[in-house]
Amino acid sequence: TEDESRGVLAALAGEGLDLIEVSGGSYEQPAMMGAAADSTRAREAYFLEYARTVRSIVGDVPLAVTGGFRSRAAMQAAVDSGECDVVGLGRPTATTPDAADAILSGRTDALPSHQQRFGMRSVLGKVTDLKALDGFLDLTWHADQLHRVGAGLAPDLNRGRVATTISMLRRNGRASF
């Protein structure tokens, strides 16, 4: 729980850490997928409210927040407000490997967002949790992009759901579903 995690952070803060990163979610419950509160969408970051609640607990340990940031304005506002010291970029770097440079150099004011969802929603929705399935597809699609970049290839922004689903099954087997 969040309360338990605050206790962990209190214990870790005294251990001489260089940085504490706040993020969240898992394949089973992807916190960064699907519906978000209007206030979360407006400021982009999913975990700033939580970060604000742990700021005093972590003391002088720098605090990073990852999850949802896309625009330079939102990143700058989060740092300027003191809610975090560092902004983490996850998914944007899978499709824009030089995302940090693009933002910091001013080449772009916002990073593109690519969200993958399964089709046949009325059928699949009757037999499975679409939010979890979509989250897993989206994570796999982004992982596939990272594998491409790691192999020296450019991201494939046109990679479809079928190719991604096959990749997901190859990596994770039937447990994917």
Side-chain angles (χ1 to χ4, degrees):
T1 68
E2 286 189 11
D3 285 338
E4 291 169 328
S5 71
R6 286 182 190 91
V8 171
L9 288 178
L12 289 173
E15 295 297 322
L17 299 177
D18 294 321
L19 177 80
I20 292 176
E21 186 220 5
V22 175
S23 189
S26 67
Y27 286 111
E28 291 81 17
Q29 295 198 320
M32 310 74 70
M33 310 303 293
D38 288 340
S39 60
T40 298
R41 279 194 300 276
R43 71 177 178 284
E44 296 181 18
Y46 290 95
F47 306 106
L48 273 179
E49 288 179 23
Y50 173 79
R52 189 179 309 118
T53 70
V54 300
R55 174 48 89 187
S56 63
I57 295 170
V58 302
D60 293 336
V61 179
L63 191 60
V65 174
T66 301
F69 286 108
R70 296 296 181 270
S71 72
R72 179 181 325 134
M75 295 174 205
Q76 190 68 53
V79 173
D80 287 348
S81 72
E83 292 173 306
C84 65
D85 303 295
V86 176
V87 169
L89 297 175
R91 288 197 183 112
T93 63
T95 57
T96 309
D98 65 341
D101 182 62
I103 288 290
L104 292 171
S105 70
R107 279 187 296 146
T108 188
D109 289 326
L111 299 168
S113 180
H114 303 277
Q115 187 174 14
Q116 304 303 308
R117 294 174 40 158
F118 274 96
M120 303 184 330
R121 302 194 69 74
S122 61
V123 174
L124 286 175
K126 292 177 183 175
V127 296
T128 190
D129 175 0
L130 284 175
K131 182 178 179 182
L133 192 61
D134 288 344
F136 204 37
L137 177 72
D138 193 65
L139 289 171
T140 299
W141 187 88
H142 283 86
D144 289 349
Q145 303 306 323
L146 290 173
H147 284 281
R148 289 182 58 82
V149 170
L153 302 170
D156 178 5
L157 303 182
N158 295 314
R159 183 176 184 82
R161 294 184 300 239
V162 172
T164 301
T165 301
I166 291 168
S167 173
M168 180 171 53
L169 288 168
R170 282 188 179 144
R171 266 199 292 274
N172 305 301
R174 289 185 7 215
S176 299
F177 297 102

